[in-house]
Amino acid sequence: GTVIDGKIINGTLTVLAANVTIKNCVVQNYGFWGIDASAAAAIGNVTVQNCTLTASSSMDTDSAIVGSGTFIGNNISNSENGIRLQDGASVVRDNYIHDLNDNFGEPHLDGIALQGGQNHVLIEHNTVTGWDTSNILIKNDFGPINDITVKNNLLIGDPKHGDPASAVYVYGPNTTNVTVTNNYMEKPLWEYVAVSNANP
């Protein structure tokens, strides 16, 4: 039930409790994670709303937000990935994910990543500028994925680095009931929506 409102946080904010709300905050200069809610995903909902998350350029990063919950209206930049969803249901709406960057090693950039265990996810009305891999990645690396709705998003390339391979990438097996509708997509390097061994 904790609410963190209007704070400036240098480094990673780790959430280990249920029903935590983080809003109107600046999370900056973090390394691997900005907000690490991966442990909280199993015990209760996490809300991150109207926050600005900017990773450090001198540290190895993975994602601005990791976990499952409600992520609305956030401004995310300089991470390798924007939002990496964990198991269960989530709502990802009205976020601006841009200027993604991998400061160490080979880039594998995704604006919003689902990599197994997700069920009942809404990804709606986000603006994602991406390059390298995809704006939205739905790939069952770690378990089945089911009932994902991707609608009314703006998915475009990065003006400094170029375009992603695909705007939306759906990969199976055991990836089912994925709906991609009413999105505006700038032409990526390969497919607008790439589907491989899946049943969307």
Side-chain angles (χ1 to χ4, degrees), residues 98-109:
H98 60 101
D99 293 295
L100 297 175
N101 193 34
D102 181 13
N103 299 301
F104 295 85
E106 295 294 325
H108 191 288
L109 311 176

Side-chain angles (χ1 to χ4, degrees), residues 138-194:
I138 303 169
K139 186 173 184 287
N140 70 329
D141 292 312
F142 307 113
I145 297 173
N146 180 61
D147 188 23
I148 311 299
T149 299
V150 179
K151 67 178 183 179
N152 300 327
N153 299 283
L154 175 62
L155 308 175
I156 59 178
D158 185 294
K160 290 188 288 188
H161 297 284
D163 298 320
S166 302
V168 180
Y169 183 38
V170 184
Y171 182 86
N174 298 320
T175 300
T176 55
N177 300 310
V178 177
T179 303
V180 180
T181 57
N182 297 322
N183 300 280
Y184 184 95
M185 304 179 188
E186 186 178 47
K187 180 68 172 71
L189 294 176
W190 297 339
E191 302 91 351
Y192 288 98
V193 180

Side-chain angles (χ1 to χ4, degrees), residues 77-147:
S77 64
N78 209 40
S79 291
E80 183 172 357
N81 303 282
I83 299 172
R84 185 185 298 279
L85 296 180
Q86 299 292 318
D87 293 358
S90 291
V91 173
V92 181
R93 178 185 291 128
D94 294 330
N95 299 283
Y96 178 35
I97 301 171
H98 60 101
D99 293 295
L100 297 175
N101 193 34
D102 181 13
N103 299 301
F104 295 85
E106 295 294 325
H108 191 288
L109 311 176
D110 301 295
I112 301 167
L114 295 70
Q115 292 183 268
Q118 290 75 39
N119 192 24
H120 309 307
V121 173
L122 173 63
I123 300 171
E124 180 181 30
H125 205 249
N126 303 280
T127 295
V128 183
T129 69
W131 60 283
D132 182 60
T133 308
S134 59
N135 299 97
I136 299 174
L137 174 71
I138 303 169
K139 186 173 184 287
N140 70 329
D141 292 312
F142 307 113
I145 297 173
N146 180 61
D147 188 23

